[in-house]
Amino acid sequence: MAGSRESQRYEDPALWSPSFWQGLEQDRQRAQLMLTALPAAAQHVLDVGCGNGVFTNLTREKTVIYGTDRSFAALRHVQPARCQASADALPFPSSYFDAVVCMEMLEHLPVDIYPVALAELVRTSSDAILLTVPYRENLRFSQITCPRCACEFHPYYHMRSFENNDLVHLFDVAQGIHVDKITGICPIQVRRFPGLWDQLRRRYHLGGANFPWYARCPQCEYSTKEAQPQSEKTHPQPAIKKSLRNLWPRTLRYQWWLAIYRKTG
């Protein structure tokens, strides 16, 4: 049941609205970096978990990018080279693409689908596999709490975090795959002392005030679209929260990894 509720989130048209994504400059930066990282000879490229086409809709001379995603709502924004498919059952012949791209998708996969999806990335590529994933994300500090049933979950349904060593050995079970490059990309300002910030955040957000519009509780399906307007008591002292956000010390660090793998046989 939780899986079906989670999948409903990805069929929300508002989640994939171009007007929402226009403000996400870092997503466009990552897509452009991925386009630059593609091997020069890659003319036939598969984008697995393409979402609304932030990468798939880019163009490069003599390169065709084909997008797949399980969300029909997302695919409505993707240019014609597209199909609805799950990452663990890609409907393409083996070695059909010169390169297979997977951007910010692996962290979402359930434990039973994850290894099968990795195998599908290897199977469908004849040469290169390119990935981006969150950089050392602390999943505990990202949790939100449903105000209806008190379920704690990740607002984007991230299920795993990646260290450098995870990416080095990501395809160890596959034959003839070697690591070509692993590097951090798109550095951003992040808060220092994240444990202390997390305690303050949880205390301030009692009652569900931190529940974002795009989240849906995997246990009871609560979302703010269904909620009644919050009272003033639910949001005490908003100026204090704003001041803390602005004054909290920050440091520059990478938020995403880019990993490139090549087939040797």
Side-chain angles (χ1 to χ4, degrees), residues 1-12 144-153 157 211-228:
M1 180 63 72
S4 64
R5 290 171 176 172
E6 179 263 353
S7 66
Q8 290 177 20
R9 172 185 185 269
Y10 298 107
E11 295 301 338
D12 181 356
I144 60 175
T145 302
C146 174
R148 177 186 291 169
C149 70
C151 174
E152 291 194 354
F153 65 100
Y157 300 123
F211 208 86
W213 66 267
Y214 50 79
R216 179 181 290 271
C217 177
Q219 182 165 279
C220 73
E221 296 188 315
Y222 172 88
S223 73
T224 53
K225 292 182 179 180
E226 305 163 354
Q228 297 298 318

Side-chain angles (χ1 to χ4, degrees), residues 191 197 200 239-250:
R191 293 182 184 86
W197 175 262
L200 292 173
I240 295 178
K241 176 186 175 184
K242 185 175 181 179
S243 297
L244 281 173
R245 281 182 172 275
N246 293 336
L247 297 176
W248 198 271
R250 297 173 182 258

Side-chain angles (χ1 to χ4, degrees), residues 16 46-56 66-71 74-75 78 83 85-87 90 100-106 108-109 121:
W16 309 110
L46 176 64
D47 184 9
V48 180
C50 66
N52 61 355
V54 174
F55 173 73
T56 313
Y66 198 103
T68 68
D69 201 280
R70 68 174 183 169
S71 169
L75 289 171
V78 179
C83 76
S86 179
L90 297 174
V100 172
V101 168
C102 182
M103 299 184 65
E104 290 92 69
M105 190 271 287
L106 293 178
H108 296 272
L109 297 181
L121 300 181

